[in-house]
PDB file of all heavy atoms in Angstrom:
ATOM      1  N   GLY E1166       3.198 -19.442  18.981  1.00 93.00           N
ATOM      2  CA  GLY E1166       2.972 -18.405  19.972  1.00 93.00           C
ATOM      3  C   GLY E1166       3.464 -18.796  21.370  1.00 93.00           C
ATOM      4  O   GLY E1166       3.855 -19.927  21.622  1.00 93.00           O
ATOM      5  N   SER E1167       3.385 -17.827  22.240  1.00 92.00           N
ATOM      6  CA  SER E1167       3.988 -17.958  23.562  1.00 92.00           C
ATOM      7  C   SER E1167       3.352 -19.065  24.409  1.00 92.00           C
ATOM      8  O   SER E1167       4.044 -19.790  25.112  1.00 92.00           O
ATOM      9  CB  SER E1167       3.878 -16.622  24.291  1.00 92.00           C
ATOM     10  OG  SER E1167       2.520 -16.208  24.278  1.00 92.00           O
ATOM     11  N   LEU E1168       2.017 -19.181  24.355  1.00 90.00           N
ATOM     12  CA  LEU E1168       1.364 -20.160  25.224  1.00 90.00           C
ATOM     13  C   LEU E1168       1.676 -21.579  24.774  1.00 90.00           C
ATOM     14  O   LEU E1168       1.841 -22.489  25.594  1.00 90.00           O
ATOM     15  CB  LEU E1168      -0.158 -19.932  25.249  1.00 90.00           C
ATOM     16  CG  LEU E1168      -0.642 -18.657  25.944  1.00 90.00           C
ATOM     17  CD1 LEU E1168      -2.149 -18.507  25.802  1.00 90.00           C
ATOM     18  CD2 LEU E1168      -0.259 -18.636  27.425  1.00 90.00           C
ATOM     19  N   LYS E1169       1.757 -21.770  23.461  1.00 88.00           N
ATOM     20  CA  LYS E1169       2.049 -23.122  22.952  1.00 88.00           C
ATOM     21  C   LYS E1169       3.512 -23.462  23.178  1.00 88.00           C
ATOM     22  O   LYS E1169       3.845 -24.622  23.407  1.00 88.00           O
ATOM     23  CB  LYS E1169       1.711 -23.186  21.444  1.00 88.00           C
ATOM     24  CG  LYS E1169       0.203 -23.201  21.132  1.00 88.00           C
ATOM     25  CD  LYS E1169      -0.424 -24.591  21.349  1.00 88.00           C
ATOM     26  CE  LYS E1169      -1.939 -24.536  21.464  1.00 88.00           C
ATOM     27  NZ  LYS E1169      -2.590 -24.075  20.266  1.00 88.00           N
ATOM     28  N   ARG E1170       4.359 -22.494  23.072  1.00 90.00           N
ATOM     29  CA  ARG E1170       5.807 -22.812  23.164  1.00 90.00           C
ATOM     30  C   ARG E1170       6.363 -22.770  24.589  1.00 90.00           C
ATOM     31  O   ARG E1170       7.504 -23.170  24.806  1.00 90.00           O
ATOM     32  CB  ARG E1170       6.584 -21.839  22.281  1.00 90.00           C
ATOM     33  CG  ARG E1170       6.333 -22.122  20.795  1.00 90.00           C
ATOM     34  CD  ARG E1170       7.579 -21.866  19.979  1.00 90.00           C
ATOM     35  NE  ARG E1170       7.490 -22.544  18.693  1.00 90.00           N
ATOM     36  CZ  ARG E1170       8.198 -22.202  17.641  1.00 90.00           C
ATOM     37  NH1 ARG E1170       9.053 -21.177  17.710  1.00 90.00           N
ATOM     38  NH2 ARG E1170       8.094 -22.854  16.508  1.00 90.00           N
ATOM     39  N   TYR E1171       5.543 -22.299  25.537  1.00 89.00           N
ATOM     40  CA  TYR E1171       6.054 -22.192  26.902  1.00 89.00           C
ATOM     41  C   TYR E1171       6.521 -23.558  27.408  1.00 89.00           C
ATOM     42  O   TYR E1171       5.790 -24.535  27.300  1.00 89.00           O
ATOM     43  CB  TYR E1171       4.969 -21.638  27.824  1.00 89.00           C
ATOM     44  CG  TYR E1171       5.460 -21.441  29.247  1.00 89.00           C
ATOM     45  CD1 TYR E1171       6.240 -20.363  29.582  1.00 89.00           C
ATOM     46  CD2 TYR E1171       5.151 -22.393  30.227  1.00 89.00           C
ATOM     47  CE1 TYR E1171       6.700 -20.211  30.898  1.00 89.00           C
ATOM     48  CE2 TYR E1171       5.615 -22.245  31.517  1.00 89.00           C
ATOM     49  CZ  TYR E1171       6.383 -21.152  31.856  1.00 89.00           C
ATOM     50  OH  TYR E1171       6.842 -20.999  33.141  1.00 89.00           O
ATOM     51  N   GLY E1172       7.733 -23.576  27.915  1.00 85.00           N
ATOM     52  CA  GLY E1172       8.244 -24.818  28.500  1.00 85.00           C
ATOM     53  C   GLY E1172       8.774 -25.822  27.472  1.00 85.00           C
ATOM     54  O   GLY E1172       9.239 -26.888  27.828  1.00 85.00           O
ATOM     55  N   SER E1173       8.687 -25.463  26.184  1.00 89.00           N
ATOM     56  CA  SER E1173       9.143 -26.385  25.135  1.00 89.00           C
ATOM     57  C   SER E1173      10.628 -26.228  24.869  1.00 89.00           C
ATOM     58  O   SER E1173      11.208 -26.998  24.117  1.00 89.00           O
ATOM     59  CB  SER E1173       8.372 -26.107  23.858  1.00 89.00           C
ATOM     60  OG  SER E1173       8.811 -24.877  23.279  1.00 89.00           O
ATOM     61  N   GLY E1174      11.228 -25.195  25.403  1.00 89.00           N
ATOM     62  CA  GLY E1174      12.629 -24.925  25.076  1.00 89.00           C
ATOM     63  C   GLY E1174      12.770 -24.060  23.831  1.00 89.00           C
ATOM     64  O   GLY E1174      13.836 -23.492  23.582  1.00 89.00           O
ATOM     65  N   GLN E1175      11.711 -23.934  23.072  1.00 92.00           N
ATOM     66  CA  GLN E1175      11.721 -23.062  21.884  1.00 92.00           C
ATOM     67  C   GLN E1175      11.160 -21.705  22.244  1.00 92.00           C
ATOM     68  O   GLN E1175      10.166 -21.617  22.942  1.00 92.00           O
ATOM     69  CB  GLN E1175      10.848 -23.659  20.780  1.00 92.00           C
ATOM     70  CG  GLN E1175      11.484 -24.796  20.029  1.00 92.00           C
ATOM     71  CD  GLN E1175      10.585 -25.172  18.863  1.00 92.00           C
ATOM     72  OE1 GLN E1175       9.481 -25.652  19.073  1.00 92.00           O
ATOM     73  NE2 GLN E1175      11.042 -24.923  17.641  1.00 92.00           N
ATOM     74  N   ARG E1176      11.747 -20.656  21.704  1.00 91.00           N
ATOM     75  CA  ARG E1176      11.217 -19.327  21.956  1.00 91.00           C
ATOM     76  C   ARG E1176      10.008 -19.089  21.055  1.00 91.00           C
ATOM     77  O   ARG E1176       9.979 -19.563  19.908  1.00 91.00           O
ATOM     78  CB  ARG E1176      12.264 -18.250  21.657  1.00 91.00           C
ATOM     79  CG  ARG E1176      13.410 -18.233  22.675  1.00 91.00           C
ATOM     80  CD  ARG E1176      14.449 -17.213  22.282  1.00 91.00           C
ATOM     81  NE  ARG E1176      13.896 -15.850  22.283  1.00 91.00           N
ATOM     82  CZ  ARG E1176      13.783 -15.104  23.393  1.00 91.00           C
ATOM     83  NH1 ARG E1176      14.209 -15.558  24.549  1.00 91.00           N
ATOM     84  NH2 ARG E1176      13.260 -13.889  23.318  1.00 91.00           N
ATOM     85  N   PRO E1177       9.026 -18.334  21.528  1.00 93.00           N
ATOM     86  CA  PRO E1177       7.896 -18.033  20.625  1.00 93.00           C
ATOM     87  C   PRO E1177       8.360 -17.105  19.500  1.00 93.00           C
ATOM     88  O   PRO E1177       9.350 -16.402  19.607  1.00 93.00           O
ATOM     89  CB  PRO E1177       6.924 -17.283  21.559  1.00 93.00           C
ATOM     90  CG  PRO E1177       7.751 -16.765  22.671  1.00 93.00           C
ATOM     91  CD  PRO E1177       8.888 -17.719  22.851  1.00 93.00           C
TER      92      PRO E1177
END
Side-chain angles (χ1 to χ4, degrees):
Chain E
S1167 53
L1168 291 176
K1169 288 280 163 64
R1170 289 216 161 158
Y1171 182 78
S1173 72
Q1175 282 187 294
R1176 290 177 63 83

